[in-house]
Amino acid sequence: MNFSGNASSAAQPMRDAFAAAVAKNVVVAILCLLINYINSTLVHTFFRSRSFTENPRYILYIHLVLNDMVQLSVAGLLHMLSYAVHTLNVSLCCFLLMLAVFTTLNTPLNLASMAVERYIAVCRPLRHAQICTPRRTYVLIGLIWVMGAVPILPDLFVLLATEPLAFFSSRIFCSRPSVFRHPYLVAKKSVSHVAYLTVVWLTLLYTYFRILFAAKAAKSDARKARNTILLHGAQLLMCMFTYMAPLLDTLFTYISPKMRFLSYLIVHILPRLLSPVIYGLRDQAFLKYLKNYYVCCRCHDDGRHAAAAASVPHNVTSVNPLYSK
């Protein structure tokens, strides 16, 4: 379900055979549940440690994780609904599409914010504690959501002004071109995507080279910070799959119509799968706390089982009336 690209057309796509539809939806459901379980584990670990909840770096990271969870849930829901009911009420479809676009645009903005935070930590270390406070970080997150809403809210106003009221009570195949179909909106979407990605890429390049030059000037090792910025770039490249969805759809459909499902997995599932691995599991402090938490949980469970086993008498005949006679 391509909610951010142009898709192949605004018309309803070809229906899959029943067995293929079931298989695709099972795969999507399993992947969504698995990835959201991993991400929810990271969120739980974040809130269990005060050192994480007061660190701007981890606050921005966990916001990225939560944003990915919402985006993945909406993408998976739209995909499964497209098979289950095929058409949706326009009002419900509009709400889901706007939420999906919000979270899709939030991701590159969040990555740019994380890069700036790393730049301040390396190049302005004495002012980092003053500039990057938890309160300002939450304000920044609010600003990210506002900026993510700027490109899509005008689409809603144009939709309300140009479409008759009967359109909002009708049912359509839920895709962005089917709902926001005014030619002005199609052109505006392309311009806004280019503008957003240009700003984000310039931010990443600027912070990376400033960190690189600062490390050389100070003759210090800023390898971890540079690697973090590079990983931001890798994640941003995966985010760009969303904007390349029409091209990928056309490419995979040209190779084989059966491969179009692979385009959906690459665009909407793969970036959310790699995000927790790229950031959470490679961070030594976060990974250590995660391991300690699960080791403690396992020890606690083993202790409960051992206590329960110890409370059961070894001599069964003393408690079982069948053997007490």
Side-chain angles (χ1 to χ4, degrees):
M1 177 65 60
N2 178 24
F3 48 75
S4 60
N6 286 328
S8 57
S9 69
Q12 297 182 6
M14 295 177 59
R15 301 297 297 268
D16 289 323
F18 178 77
V22 171
K24 290 179 180 180
N25 281 281
V26 168
V27 170
V28 170
I30 291 175
L31 288 176
C32 288
L33 290 174
L34 177 62
I35 296 171
N36 277 343
Y37 171 75
I38 296 173
N39 285 338
S40 62
T41 302
L42 298 175
V43 173
H44 181 69
T45 303
F46 168 82
F47 283 107
R48 285 183 61 87
S49 174
R50 189 173 180 180
S51 60
F52 293 146
T53 57
E54 295 183 354
N55 189 318
R57 176 186 178 188
Y58 292 108
I59 294 174
L60 288 172
Y61 163 68
I62 217 63
H63 173 254
L64 180 67
V65 172
L66 290 170
N67 186 80
D68 279 355
M69 292 176 68
V70 175
Q71 198 275 344
L72 181 63
S73 299
V74 175
L77 178 62
L78 285 173
H79 183 274
M80 288 183 280
L81 286 176
S82 69
Y83 283 92
V85 297
H86 198 55
T87 59
L88 285 180
N89 176 270
V90 171
S91 299
L92 175 60
C93 175
C94 185
F95 170 75
L96 293 175
L97 287 175
M98 292 189 65
L99 183 59
V101 173
F102 277 152
T103 52
T104 300
L105 291 176
N106 283 348
T107 300
L109 295 175
N110 201 107
L111 291 170
S113 301
M114 294 171 71
V116 171
E117 188 276 331
R118 286 294 84 199
Y119 158 74
I120 296 174
V122 174
C123 299
R124 301 287 188 272
L126 298 180
R127 299 194 60 191
H128 180 265
Q130 297 176 343
I131 298 175
C132 300
T133 63
R135 182 177 178 276
R136 290 184 176 179
T137 304
Y138 287 115
V139 172
L140 177 61
I141 290 174
L143 182 61
I144 289 174
W145 279 88
V146 171
M147 294 180 65
V150 167
I152 190 62
L153 283 181
D155 293 20
L156 178 61
F157 298 144
V158 172
L159 182 67
L160 293 172
T162 58
E163 297 291 350
L165 291 177
F167 175 72
F168 296 95
S169 60
S170 62
R171 298 179 67 87
I172 61 170
F173 180 76
C174 189
S175 66
R176 188 168 180 178
S178 299
V179 178
F180 303 101
R181 53 192 181 181
H182 194 281
Y184 163 77
L185 299 180
V186 176
K188 184 192 72 65
K189 175 176 65 66
S190 301
V191 173
S192 63
H193 286 174
V194 171
Y196 266 62
L197 290 177
T198 300
V199 171
V200 172
W201 274 113
L202 289 176
T203 302
L204 287 175
L205 290 174
Y206 176 80
T207 53
Y208 174 76
F209 284 110
R210 287 300 301 267
I211 289 174
L212 181 63
F213 295 149
K216 288 184 177 181
K219 296 181 180 181
S220 61
D221 183 17
R223 181 172 56 87
K224 289 184 63 177
R226 294 200 308 269
N227 289 343
T228 300
I229 301 298
L230 287 176
L231 289 174
H232 292 166
Q235 178 69 2
L236 184 59
L237 282 174
M238 289 187 292
C239 292
M240 290 184 66
F241 288 154
T242 301
Y243 308 103
M244 297 170 59
L247 177 62
L248 291 175
D249 280 346
T250 303
L251 176 62
F252 284 115
T253 304
Y254 176 78
I255 297 174
S256 173
K258 296 181 179 180
M259 294 184 64
R260 191 174 181 184
F261 179 64
L262 182 60
S263 173
Y264 172 83
L265 295 179
I266 292 175
V267 170
H268 298 296
I269 303 297
L270 182 63
R272 275 82 222 172
L273 175 63
L274 296 181
S275 181
V277 177
I278 288 178
Y279 295 111
L281 300 184
R282 69 172 287 273
D283 186 277
Q284 295 301 318
F286 205 91
L287 182 60
K288 181 180 178 180
Y289 197 92
L290 190 65
K291 287 181 177 179
N292 290 339
Y293 170 70
Y294 275 101
V295 169
C296 291
C297 287
R298 185 173 180 179
C299 292
H300 180 68
D301 290 339
D302 291 343
R304 287 194 303 174
H305 291 317
S311 64
V312 177
H314 294 286
N315 185 6
V316 178
T317 59
S318 62
V319 294
N320 193 327
L322 294 178
Y323 299 100
S324 61
K325 296 181 180 178

